[in-house]
Amino acid sequence: MNRYFATSPRGLENLLAEELAALGAAQVKAAAGGVEFAGDWPVCYRANLESRIATRILWFAAKAPYTREEDIYRLALAQRWPDWFPVTRTLRVVTTATKSPLRSIDFVTLRVKDAVCDRFRAQGGERPSVDTREPDVRIHVYLTESECSLYIDTSGAPLWQRGLRQASVEAPLKENLAAGILKLTGWQPGTPLVDPMCGSGTFLLEAVQMALDRAPGLGRSFAFEKLTPFDALAWSRLRAAAEARCRPAQPLPIWGSDRDERAVRATRRNLQEAGFGNAAKVTSADMLTLEKPADAGILVANPPYGERIGEQEELAAFYPQLGAALKRHWSGWNCYFFTADTRLPKGVGLKPSRKTPLFNGALECRLYEIKMVAGSNRKPRESGGQADAGG
């Protein structure tokens, strides 16, 4: 059995571990920034094809202690790279370090690249070419304080690149983070879902794919297809099974809206080009006046964070209006707001029932759960304290 490490957005490791176990992975163990697991090659193919949360699936090659760069060079030189990919494949080495005592990470990258090329040259007289932009093979070097691990990337482009979102607006959420947030809300296909600040429609696209049981990797290729152990027959069977399972697009209880007409156009275009044009309803509307489309459901939104002072002032004025709109229009709904702005709960005057720490890249965020209790629509207390959700 091969060993792998699946990377993911920080905060979603446990969800990814559950997902990989359901996809047939063995020896699953969540770690900081991802999940270790084991399996044969079809498990690796399936994880790439079907994981909604992973960023990359890395195939473990070797691990050893080190004290200097030459230890890492020797570890890389000892590996059977020519057995794993042909010399005609282009190459890139990527190094990540946590608490490494070495002075230059770039020098480590260079020494690993030299070791791989030296191994090829010693075995066949030729060396692979380097391509830092679109390589066929990525070798990942991970350094802790005292250990070096080597991996071969089986994904290629990061897995959040589903190949679906053609149009985007400012700072769109990555697809795997959006999928993880949807899972954290407890949303299930068939339950009404609304994104009232839909941007380019990432939450909607992910929800539609879940509802139609469409594997997120069906529209793209993967780096494992360029490795020597690639089993084309096993891969074609897995793809065919995933395609056969996918339900045809149909109208679903999924709604999106945005007050920015450009965002509405981008979302409609993305749904249309993905083949989901009729699956979700998208309108131009302001969150503050939007009415709920059903008695109960899930509202999920990624409001602006307000990184500049003028934007922060706008948000400070917007939050009380948002709280009033939630009380007026969304009783019976569970509402989720993903933001880096910790002022949101106090600003809206509603106490979250849950706060989940997540990272959007390096930015620490929270997913706030606010349950709007049906039938409770009192005005907030005059004292300025936080009211319970719904009143």
Side-chain angles (χ1 to χ4, degrees):
M1 268 202 303
N2 295 323
R3 289 166 60 199
Y4 306 95
F5 189 80
T7 63
S8 73
R10 285 159 66 198
L12 295 178
E13 294 94 342
N14 290 332
L15 274 182
L16 175 58
E18 290 171 17
E19 182 185 62
L20 289 169
L23 292 173
Q27 300 169 29
V28 177
K29 183 185 171 191
V35 174
E36 298 170 14
F37 69 101
D40 55 14
W41 280 112
V43 166
C44 170
Y45 304 161
R46 196 171 175 205
N48 275 287
L49 177 65
E50 303 213 27
S51 174
R52 300 187 190 278
I53 298 172
T55 302
R56 292 183 183 279
I57 309 294
L58 305 176
W59 170 31
F60 175 79
K63 179 192 260 189
Y66 75 93
T67 54
R68 56 201 181 103
E69 289 87 349
E70 285 313 294
D71 298 333
I72 296 169
Y73 172 85
R74 282 200 298 273
L75 174 67
L77 185 66
Q79 305 314 309
R80 306 190 330 265
W81 307 110
D83 293 354
W84 298 333
F85 59 92
V87 71
T88 51
R89 298 297 188 198
T90 57
L91 172 70
R92 182 187 178 191
V93 177
V94 180
T95 304
T96 309
T98 304
K99 297 182 180 174
S100 172
L102 299 181
R103 281 202 299 267
S104 172
I105 300 307
D106 288 344
F107 186 58
V108 172
T109 301
L110 181 66
R111 291 304 282 149
V112 171
K113 185 267 295 178
D114 288 345
V116 175
C117 291
D118 289 350
R119 178 71 192 235
F120 268 97
R121 198 183 283 113
Q123 203 154 318
E126 286 184 84
R127 48 158 285 177
S129 299
V130 171
D131 180 348
T132 56
R133 290 178 63 82
E134 289 191 21
D136 297 321
V137 177
R138 287 177 177 84
I139 294 170
H140 286 253
V141 184
Y142 179 61
L143 304 177
T144 63
E145 203 168 352
S146 59
E147 279 193 318
C148 172
S149 300
L150 301 176
Y151 298 89
I152 295 178
D153 178 22
T154 69
S155 301
L159 296 177
W160 53 261
Q161 291 184 7
R162 319 284 203 221
L164 293 181
R165 192 174 59 189
Q166 304 302 315
S168 73
V169 292
E170 271 184 69
L173 270 188
K174 288 187 170 63
E175 286 82 341
N176 59 339
L177 179 55
I181 289 169
L182 284 172
K183 293 200 178 201
L184 286 170
T185 69
W187 177 77
Q188 295 289 329
T191 302
L193 179 76
V194 171
D195 178 358
M197 301 176 181
C198 66
S200 55
T202 310
F203 280 128
L204 306 182
L205 281 160
E206 291 302 306
V208 168
Q209 287 176 86
M210 290 178 191
L212 300 178
D213 201 6
R214 184 188 193 277
L218 276 176
R220 52 164 288 165
S221 59
F222 300 94
F224 61 71
E225 297 173 67
K226 296 176 179 175
L227 300 177
T228 304
F230 176 53
D231 183 341
L233 184 59
W235 171 231
S236 66
R237 283 179 180 150
L238 278 169
R239 271 193 66 95
E243 281 170 348
R245 222 178 51 223
C246 190
R247 290 191 280 275
Q250 57 194 294
L252 299 165
I254 296 174
W255 292 266
S257 59
D258 204 292
R259 66 179 187 177
D260 183 347
E261 191 57 51
R262 288 174 314 156
V264 172
R265 283 198 300 271
T267 297
R268 284 178 177 157
R269 179 185 158 192
N270 287 335
L271 286 163
Q272 195 68 43
E273 293 193 5
F276 306 146
N278 68 337
K281 302 159 200 71
V282 185
T283 56
S284 179
D286 191 320
M287 163 80 210
L288 300 179
T289 56
L290 195 66
E291 302 270 352
K292 63 184 180 185
D295 288 339
I298 301 282
L299 179 150
V300 63
N302 173 216
Y305 299 166
E307 289 170 8
R308 291 187 285 274
I309 288 173
E311 294 168 337
Q312 287 181 7
E313 289 168 355
E314 282 178 37
L315 281 176
F318 169 69
Y319 286 151
Q321 297 174 291
L322 174 60
L326 290 173
K327 294 189 193 83
R328 193 178 305 120
H329 301 304
W330 297 91
S331 68
W333 281 62
N334 290 352
C335 302
Y336 295 84
F337 295 94
F338 176 68
T339 178
D341 190 351
T342 53
R343 302 172 307 162
L344 182 141
K346 192 170 185 183
V348 299
L350 295 166
K351 190 170 184 179
S353 46
R354 193 161 48 122
K355 304 173 196 174
T356 306
L358 294 170
F359 281 78
N360 187 0
L363 190 62
E364 187 172 357
C365 299
R366 295 282 183 278
L367 179 65
Y368 294 107
E369 173 188 78
I370 300 174
K371 294 186 173 182
M372 303 307 299
V373 181
S376 177
N377 197 19
R378 300 188 307 278
K379 290 181 181 175
R381 293 192 295 271
E382 296 297 322
S383 65
Q386 283 188 347
D388 288 335

